[in-house]
Amino acid sequence: MRELPDTGDDGAPTRRRSERSHRAIVTATQELLVERGYRALTIEGVAARAGVGKQTIYRWWPSRAALVLEAYLAGSDEVVRPRTRTSTCADVRALLDWLVAVLTQPIGGRVLAGLVSDLKDDTELAERFQRDVVPARRQAMLAALERGRERGEIRADADLELAVDALHGAVFYRLLLSGAPLDAAFTKRLASQVLLGLSSGFVPIGD
Amino acid sequence: MRELPDTGDDGAPTRRRSERSHRAIVTATQELLVERGYRALTIEGVAARAGVGKQTIYRWWPSRAALVLEAYLAGSDEVVRPRTRTSTCADVRALLDWLVAVLTQPIGGRVLAGLVSDLKDDTELAERFQRDVVPARRQAMLAALERGRERGEIRADADLELAVDALHGAVFYRLLLSGAPLDAAFTKRLASQVLLGLSSGFVPIGD
DNA sequence: ATAACAAAACGAGACGTCTCGTCTCGTGAT
DNA sequence: ATCACGAGACGAGACGTCTCGTTTTGTTAT
């Protein structure tokens, strides 16, 4: 969110920021998001929970959404990314299951919905979100599809970016809009059906 | 959103609701949504613009989101649904273009993003949205795919609901999350690539 | 190396503003 | 005579800014 105050800046006298307060604020934000959700989260509430002055928050974060984004990302690293690499379909399924796991964490869906609504009114936040967060989420899936193409399982002229749009889009669509379940049966059929469209010929879809 | 007060109810003495105020409120909501967006919309602002007391709004709508939903849906009927029925791929493309047109109306994307965030905190709204709005949007696309299956262009065992998840999901994903463009090239490739996955054999994808 | 100093960030909270949702009025329509 | 209406007062609560002392931290002088 912001550069750390001490670590190896070039000569310039680094601003001195209390790392204790920083951590307390992020932790309090995560707790309050889980307990009460995005809408009910207030700066004053975070300050009180963290034992911190309001100004300390306003000094380091430009908006409530920026704070929530940092707290959200800091809590999203707990689910480890799969590294199966058996078949393309299995890889895609595993990555979809991973995405679902990340999004259905207690902090996940509600917070993402709140952030999404703020993207439309906060240009700076939208830029960072679409430059950093979105591509990071897509990268692993795109790599798996490219491996499949190198192995010849996927047509050379297939549009893999578009495939990621469809795969991830279906997941987010269910999470944010339709409310349909995000279970293993869903990710399994989604992976196999989309991959069939990308396949270079008849490739048996396992399991 | 609520039954109209006067028109042809069965005998029961309908409460007398001012249709003039009703329309003024919905119109003012639409205008303010276009001018200032979802976040900046306040009940007090709507009341002032509509020349109406706040209580009149609180009397007839349970929440800000419910009012926005009504205003949004009332303004979404202006884009007419296509009725091409030439080939399945052309139908799907036309329906995707229609969806994009509806969502990129001035009132569209910003409002939808705001509503989405409220679904997570407003159970009643979420129920109505997922029972009425979402299926209505999916219906036409599903019908087009079923016609394709009857014609034999689509495999009998294809999961068409899942295909709608992927098609609509990709559109909403770009609109709400990635910010990637929603242009004709996108809908064209999306339609052809997804349909290829559903196809029963080699079906030439026309321009 | 230690002490003294200045600068910046800190916790706390007062302040005026805004919107909330509820509540009363008096008015006008049926 | 009833009831929705426009208007707006009301207390609650969060906003973002600001001003207090206080504590921390980096720099300078001894």
Side-chain angles (χ1 to χ4, degrees):
Chain A
M1 203 75 0
R2 203 119 180 184
E3 74 279 0
L4 291 175
D6 297 319
T7 50
D9 231 8
D10 47 329
T14 57
R15 303 283 176 100
R16 41 207 167 102
R17 176 182 191 176
S18 165
E19 194 54 33
R20 163 205 296 277
S21 297
H22 185 184
R23 268 196 298 267
I25 291 167
V26 172
T27 300
T29 303
Q30 294 174 327
E31 292 173 358
L32 288 172
L33 282 174
V34 172
E35 291 173 20
R36 311 201 189 172
Y38 187 91
R39 303 261 332 247
L41 189 87
T42 66
I43 299 289
E44 295 198 335
V46 172
R49 170 75 64 107
V52 144
K54 287 161 60 176
Q55 190 60 36
T56 303
I57 300 180
Y58 285 112
R59 178 156 35 228
W60 297 106
W61 284 275
S63 66
R64 187 178 71 124
L67 171 59
V68 171
L69 180 59
E70 174 166 345
Y72 174 59
L73 293 178
S76 292
D77 300 332
E78 298 171 9
V79 184
V80 287
R81 222 164 74 190
R83 298 205 155 273
T84 57
R85 308 209 176 197
T86 59
S87 75
T88 302
C89 186
D91 285 3
V92 169
R93 273 187 64 187
L95 286 169
L96 286 178
D97 287 331
W98 169 66
L99 179 64
V100 167
V102 169
L103 294 179
T104 54
Q105 273 185 316
I107 215 179
R110 308 170 75 183
V111 174
L112 193 78
L115 281 176
V116 157
S117 81
D118 284 339
L119 296 185
K120 293 291 170 191
D121 301 294
D122 187 339
T123 309
E124 195 182 341
L125 182 79
E127 242 171 68
R128 190 168 56 232
F129 188 83
Q130 292 165 358
R131 178 165 37 84
D132 300 338
V133 181
V134 171
R137 286 258 171 80
R138 298 173 62 94
Q139 195 180 19
M141 183 65 78
L142 199 60
L145 294 178
E146 280 169 353
R147 283 200 302 274
R149 182 159 61 185
E150 287 166 15
R151 280 187 238 160
E153 297 179 28
I154 289 178
R155 300 195 323 273
D157 66 327
D159 188 332
L160 302 187
E161 291 280 357
L162 193 68
V164 180
D165 283 346
L167 289 165
H168 282 200
V171 171
F172 284 106
Y173 177 76
R174 286 198 167 199
L175 177 74
L176 299 177
L177 287 160
S178 85
L182 289 167
D183 51 21
F186 166 66
T187 56
K188 173 183 172 182
R189 288 184 302 169
L190 179 62
S192 55
Q193 187 155 292
V194 168
L195 280 180
L196 196 58
L198 305 175
S199 67
S200 50
F202 284 117
V203 176
I205 308 299
D207 202 21
Chain B
M1 202 74 3
R2 206 120 179 182
E3 73 280 1
L4 291 174
D6 297 320
T7 51
D9 231 8
D10 47 328
T14 56
R15 304 279 175 108
R16 40 204 170 104
R17 176 183 190 175
S18 164
E19 193 55 32
R20 160 206 297 278
S21 297
H22 185 185
R23 269 196 297 267
I25 290 167
V26 172
T27 301
T29 302
Q30 293 174 329
E31 291 173 359
L32 288 172
L33 282 174
V34 172
E35 290 173 21
R36 312 201 188 173
Y38 187 91
R39 303 260 334 246
L41 188 88
T42 64
I43 299 290
E44 296 198 335
V46 173
R49 170 75 65 106
V52 144
K54 287 162 61 179
Q55 192 60 38
T56 304
I57 300 180
Y58 285 111
R59 180 155 36 227
W60 298 106
W61 285 276
S63 67
R64 187 178 72 125
L67 171 60
V68 171
L69 180 59
E70 174 165 346
Y72 174 59
L73 293 179
S76 291
D77 300 332
E78 298 170 9
V79 185
V80 287
R81 222 165 74 190
R83 298 205 155 273
T84 57
R85 309 211 176 195
T86 59
S87 74
T88 303
C89 186
D91 285 4
V92 168
R93 273 187 65 186
L95 286 169
L96 286 179
D97 287 331
W98 168 66
L99 179 64
V100 167
V102 170
L103 295 179
T104 53
Q105 271 184 318
I107 214 178
R110 308 171 76 183
V111 173
L112 193 77
L115 282 177
V116 157
S117 82
D118 283 339
L119 295 186
K120 295 289 171 191
D121 300 293
D122 187 339
T123 308
E124 195 182 342
L125 181 78
E127 242 170 70
R128 190 168 56 230
F129 189 83
Q130 291 164 359
R131 178 165 37 84
D132 300 338
V133 181
V134 170
R137 286 257 170 80
R138 297 172 63 95
Q139 196 180 19
M141 183 65 78
L142 199 60
L145 294 177
E146 281 169 351
R147 282 199 303 274
R149 182 158 60 186
E150 287 164 15
R151 279 187 239 160
E153 296 180 30
I154 288 177
R155 300 194 322 275
D157 65 327
D159 188 331
L160 300 188
E161 291 281 356
L162 193 68
V164 179
D165 283 345
L167 289 165
H168 282 201
V171 171
F172 284 106
Y173 177 76
R174 286 197 168 199
L175 177 74
L176 299 177
L177 288 160
S178 85
L182 289 167
D183 51 21
F186 165 67
T187 56
K188 173 183 171 181
R189 288 184 302 169
L190 180 62
S192 56
Q193 187 156 291
V194 168
L195 281 179
L196 197 58
L198 305 175
S199 68
S200 49
F202 283 116
V203 176
I205 307 299
D207 190 25

